[in-house]
Amino acid sequence: MKQKTFNHSHFPSLGKRIVVYLVLILGPCGGLFFLWMARQQEAFVIKQLRHQALGIYHYIVLAREWISSHGGIYLREGDKYRLITPSIFTREIALFARKRQPYAVKIAALDSKNPEHQPDEFESSAIKMMQSGQKRELWKLVNVKKKILFRYAAPLIFENDCAKCHQNLPKYNICGCISISFPATSLFKEVARNKNYYFIYLFASLGIVLMLLIILLKRAVSDLSLAYDDLRRMEKFKSDFFSNITHDLKTPITAIKGASDILAKKLRDEEYGPYIEILKRNVTRLSSMVRDLLDCARLESGELELNKEQLDLAEVVEDAVLMVQPLAWENQIEIEYDPLEEPYYVVADRGRIEQAVSNLLTNAIKFSDKGSKVIVSLAYKGDQVVMSVEDFGPGIPQGEQDMVFKKFYRRSREKKSDGLGLGLAIARGVVEAHGGKIWISQPDHQGVIMNISLPVAKNA
């Protein structure tokens, strides 16, 4: 089973995803801008209609006050004269305007006995709201036979000059309203046409911007793809270099190891014995370094072969503990491992997982003070089996915890002669190749806890 490390087929789909994201971002933004522009135009049209109605209202009020200040005016009709009061003036001007302009003007008052002054629903509502002080004016748009009508109402106030004819009404009392209405269909048709123009302009602008961004992104993604290919080739060259050189080193190291074993059997005297032991120890160390380099190269190139099988992780951990026990004795470290009787089944490559666990144990022993201990534990956490290695050493500074799993990284207390700094990097690569995780947690004492989690075997 090989784990693939590089895959640049995602670059074309990356460009498509970016385009989709741009559409999802620019589309709603453009839509919101369109709605805002449409509402602004509608608000402007309504403002103009209101100002127009307000101008008519002030003209009527001013004319009524002028007529009232003169006690009414007389209009000649043939040989006779007819008295024109403010109310009659309002009615006459409304009839006159209706013949020449599409305006309707009306004096409306509550409890009026004159049918001409009786208010409709809109006017009644306007009068009540003005009398209660809620509004000084009221307007609304009404659809009448597929046409839009603008209705406006403002207060009818009887002042001093009106008291001559309306003595029973208190001064400045809002007794009714002046109701004005006129069509607004043409203006709103113009608004609708402008909305269509805005939509076309906005859609075209967004399309142009999107096309430019697509072209730029296409070029950027192409450049990234080329750079990624170059990086991939360099990474493959580096991995091949390490793989080849470490593989080539294994042959002479094996030969040296074999020769040292033969010398150890033949030269057992006191004169050469210590030198033979030094030779054997350093050959073993060099062989371990070469093996680690080769494993790193395989992990990076995605060529690490895993022979997975269902196994009991507790047995694997026990074998790893036995493997590092001599190192623990040498450093006067006690390894505490008391697994439960229940099995912890996972699907994994036994040798590789044992290697990862051994690396964690070796790392814990190396950084523990003499006379201390290392605690190894196993536990189920959901659908994961978690193995923890807890030590009582100096711990790892917060700033180094994200770095210790990188290749060739050395902790602040680590001696330069202690290996290549690949143990934890290999452990992480092996665990992640099995679909697991490796992380650091902080105990309630000085030291550190290294954790490994692996999925529980489904048929366990």
Side-chain angles (χ1 to χ4, degrees):
M1 176 178 175
K2 295 185 178 181
Q3 303 295 324
K4 298 299 183 182
T5 303
F6 294 105
N7 183 8
H8 69 285
S9 62
H10 64 279
F11 276 115
S13 61
L14 174 63
K16 294 179 181 178
R17 285 200 299 270
I18 293 175
V19 171
V20 171
Y21 293 152
L22 287 174
V23 171
L24 293 177
I25 294 172
L26 294 178
C29 290
L32 291 174
F33 179 74
F34 172 76
L35 292 175
W36 179 80
M37 288 292 296
R39 289 184 179 181
Q40 288 295 110
Q41 191 174 28
E42 289 179 358
F44 177 77
V45 169
I46 290 173
K47 184 178 180 181
Q48 296 301 314
L49 292 171
R50 177 179 164 274
H51 285 172
Q52 185 177 351
L54 190 62
I56 297 171
Y57 167 75
H58 284 307
Y59 170 77
I60 293 174
V61 169
L62 184 64
R64 284 171 56 86
E65 290 179 356
W66 182 81
I67 294 172
S68 179
S69 66
H70 288 78
I73 59 175
Y74 287 89
L75 181 65
R76 183 175 180 178
E77 295 179 351
D79 296 334
K80 297 181 179 180
Y81 290 88
R82 182 162 63 96
L83 178 64
I84 302 296
T85 64
S87 296
I88 296 175
F89 163 76
T90 305
R91 184 178 68 253
E92 293 292 332
I93 200 67
L95 293 173
F96 184 78
R98 194 175 300 168
K99 295 176 183 178
R100 296 174 177 266
Q101 298 291 339
Y103 294 103
V105 180
K106 174 184 174 182
I107 299 295
L110 297 175
D111 302 326
S112 175
K113 297 179 181 180
N114 189 338
E116 294 181 359
H117 298 317
Q118 290 181 355
D120 58 18
E121 183 179 352
F122 168 74
E123 292 160 347
S124 297
S125 177
I127 294 170
K128 292 176 182 178
M129 294 182 72
M130 288 184 286
Q131 286 179 340
S132 63
Q134 297 180 34
K135 296 279 187 179
R136 287 295 300 171
E137 61 179 357
L138 194 69
W139 61 267
K140 68 180 295 188
L141 294 170
V142 181
N143 288 312
V144 179
K145 296 180 181 180
K146 297 183 180 181
K147 293 183 179 181
I148 301 175
L149 190 68
F150 182 79
R151 298 203 62 183
Y152 180 86
L156 175 66
I157 300 175
F158 292 95
E159 301 188 18
N160 290 332
D161 294 328
C162 303
K164 298 175 182 178
C165 300
H166 303 278
Q167 297 179 1
N168 59 330
L169 295 175
K171 181 173 64 174
Y172 302 114
N173 185 41
I174 298 176
C175 299
C177 71
I178 298 177
S179 176
I180 302 168
S181 60
F182 49 86
T185 305
S186 59
L187 288 175
F188 281 94
K189 284 184 178 180
E190 186 67 24
V191 170
R193 282 194 295 269
N194 289 340
K195 285 183 181 179
N196 294 333
Y197 294 146
Y198 288 153
F199 180 79
I200 294 172
Y201 294 152
L202 182 62
F203 184 80
S205 300
L206 289 177
I208 293 172
V209 171
L210 189 60
M211 289 301 297
L212 292 175
L213 289 175
I214 289 173
I215 293 172
L216 293 175
L217 285 172
K218 187 175 180 181
R219 291 181 179 177
V221 170
S222 298
D223 293 340
L224 286 173
S225 181
L226 291 174
Y228 186 81
D229 288 338
D230 292 339
L231 180 63
R232 183 187 177 189
R233 285 192 292 270
M234 292 177 62
E235 193 70 23
K236 190 175 186 305
F237 173 78
K238 184 185 72 172
S239 297
D240 290 343
F241 172 77
F242 276 112
S243 180
N244 292 332
I245 196 172
T246 51
H247 186 272
D248 292 341
L249 283 172
K250 286 179 67 177
T251 301
I253 290 173
T254 302
I256 295 171
K257 188 175 184 301
S260 65
D261 290 339
I262 294 172
L263 287 173
K265 292 178 181 179
K266 291 186 176 182
L267 301 175
R268 296 181 178 178
D269 54 21
E270 296 181 359
E271 181 179 358
Y272 298 103
Y275 299 104
I276 297 298
E277 290 300 322
I278 293 173
L279 177 61
K280 290 178 63 178
R281 186 165 59 251
N282 281 279
V283 168
T284 301
R285 182 180 170 204
L286 182 59
S287 178
S288 176
M289 289 181 178
V290 171
R291 186 187 69 245
D292 288 347
L293 284 171
L294 185 59
D295 286 341
C296 275
R298 287 170 177 168
L299 285 167
E300 288 185 348
S301 63
E303 296 178 353
L304 182 69
E305 295 186 2
L306 299 176
N307 299 314
K308 291 185 176 182
E309 60 178 333
Q310 182 170 299
L311 50 86
D312 184 359
L313 187 59
E315 294 180 358
V316 178
V317 174
E318 186 173 356
D319 290 344
V321 169
L322 293 174
M323 185 185 301
V324 300
Q325 191 65 63
L327 179 63
W329 291 333
E330 182 181 344
N331 289 269
Q332 300 177 20
I333 303 297
E334 176 190 356
I335 300 179
E336 184 179 306
Y337 176 54
D338 296 316
L340 299 176
E341 294 182 358
E342 62 176 320
Y344 296 85
Y345 288 118
V346 296
V347 177
D349 184 309
R350 186 183 190 92
R352 290 301 180 182
I353 291 298
E354 185 177 304
Q355 179 186 14
V357 175
S358 299
N359 287 353
L360 263 60
L361 290 170
T362 302
N363 188 77
I365 293 170
K366 182 169 59 175
F367 286 95
S368 295
D369 296 328
K370 289 185 177 182
S372 63
K373 63 180 177 180
V374 171
I375 303 174
V376 183
S377 60
L378 277 171
Y380 281 112
K381 291 188 178 179
D383 60 348
Q384 301 284 314
V385 176
V386 178
M387 188 217 71
S388 300
V389 177
E390 180 179 357
D391 66 54
F392 293 79
I396 301 176
Q398 190 69 30
E400 293 187 31
Q401 290 187 2
D402 294 334
M403 305 293 293
V404 294
F405 294 108
K406 293 188 176 181
K407 294 183 305 181
F408 308 113
Y409 183 80
R410 295 179 180 276
R411 290 159 64 177
S412 55
R413 280 193 57 187
E414 189 170 359
K415 298 178 181 179
K416 291 185 178 179
S417 60
D418 292 337
L420 297 174
L422 296 175
L424 293 180
I426 292 173
R428 182 182 67 175
V430 168
V431 170
E432 291 180 351
H434 284 80
K437 294 181 181 179
I438 185 169
W439 73 96
I440 297 173
S441 57
Q442 188 64 43
D444 56 0
H445 55 79
Q446 184 174 346
V448 72
I449 301 176
M450 294 283 184
N451 305 281
I452 287 176
S453 69
L454 294 172
V456 178
K458 292 183 179 179
N459 58 346

